[in-house]
């Protein structure tokens, strides 16, 4: 199986259905931290539901759609990145990410997302990559800006969490903009 070194011994490699047990253990460490910021279907409580997430992505990847990659530290998952959506016909994809609390602040996501961007633009010829997050998700906004993404506007009252509504900011980067972005 392929894996890419991100930094400090942490590697990025695909998450597959047979990783359900270790993915569920990771979710136990990450759940409370990520719940306000990611889609509710991604935050699971059981091994079976964790496996269902992995199966959903595996099915999408089989048709050249969404894909899921884990950040691995010596056999443990500490977070990951994904193509939330991947449309080669239109040349558009969306990237997302998450980390468990102990992995925050180490530069793992910026570097990993850059790897996905390089693959999407250079190997797959995509034209546009999107990034969506709650406007008050400062760390996610910082990742988008660090990678040279441009804010395209706010989807007002488009995110629901715990009975409250929040705004979503949409960022994007185009292929010609990415090629001139400094590598991290
Ligand atoms: C969004 C999220 C993944 C970002 O994590 P992050 O650790 O801030 O992002 P990175 O991995 O790119 O790390 C950047 C940080 O590492 C620091 N860093 C440390 N060593 C570094 C290195 N060698 N290279 C680059 N940055 C480094 C940077 O200075 C930066 O910290 P700062 O913002 O305090 O200055 C994380 O906050 C999270 O899991 N949030 C909850 C889930 C979520 O919001 N998902 C996204 C939904 S849209």
């Amino acid at each position: 199986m392929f894996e890419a070194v991100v930094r400090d011994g942490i590697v990025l490699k695909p998450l597959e259905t047979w990783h359900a047990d270790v993915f569920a253990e990771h979710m136990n460490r990450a759940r409370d931290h990520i719940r306000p910021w990611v889609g509710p279907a991604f935050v699971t409580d059981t091994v079976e539901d964790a496996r269902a997430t992995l199966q959903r992505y595996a099915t999408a990847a089989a048709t050249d759609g969404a894909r899921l990659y884990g950040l691995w530290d010596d056999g443990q998952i500490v977070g990951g990145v994904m193509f939330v959506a991947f449309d080669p016909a239109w040349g558009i994809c969306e990237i997302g990410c998450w980390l468990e609390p102990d992995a925050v602040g180490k530069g793992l996501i910026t570097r990993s997302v850059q790897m996905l961007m390089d693959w999407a633009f250079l190997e797959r010829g995509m034209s546009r990559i999107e990034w969506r997050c709650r406007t008050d998700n400062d760390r996610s906004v910082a990742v988008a800006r660090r990678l040279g993404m441009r804010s395209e506007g706010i989807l007002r009252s488009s995110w629901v969490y715990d009975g409250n509504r929040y705004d979503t900011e949409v960022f994007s980067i185009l292929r010609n903009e990415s090629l001139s972005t400094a590598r991290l």
Side-chain angles (χ1 to χ4, degrees), residues 49-97:
D49 286 349
R51 182 176 288 109
T53 300
L54 300 178
Q55 184 61 57
R56 204 166 57 244
Y57 275 92
T59 301
T63 54
D64 204 16
R67 291 165 166 81
L68 187 62
Y69 305 91
L71 282 158
W72 293 79
D73 182 1
D74 197 22
Q76 277 201 345
I77 299 168
V78 298
V81 290
M82 72 274 260
F83 288 106
V84 179
F86 194 86
D87 184 341
W90 281 55
I92 300 173
C93 58
E94 179 187 342
I95 295 178
C97 69

Side-chain angles (χ1 to χ4, degrees), residues 8 15 28 33 35-36 39 50 57 64 68 80 90 94-95 126-127 135 158-159 169 178:
D8 302 331
L15 275 177
N28 287 338
H33 173 64
R35 198 191 294 278
Y57 275 92
D64 204 16
L68 187 62
W90 281 55
E94 179 187 342
I95 295 178
M126 302 298 267
S127 297
T135 50
S158 58
W159 188 275
E169 189 159 6
S178 175

Side-chain angles (χ1 to χ4, degrees), residues 7-8 33-35 37-38 80 95-100 103-111 131-134 137 139-143 146 159 184:
R7 59 172 42 106
D8 302 331
H33 173 64
I34 67 175
R35 198 191 294 278
W37 314 108
V38 305
I95 295 178
C97 69
W98 81 98
L99 287 173
E100 60 184 51
V104 172
K106 300 177 179 175
L108 298 176
I109 291 300
T110 300
R111 177 85 188 109
W131 182 272
R132 291 164 191 254
C133 60
R134 273 174 51 174
N137 191 344
R139 284 199 165 268
S140 184
V141 169
V143 172
R146 217 179 277 126
W159 188 275
L184 297 159

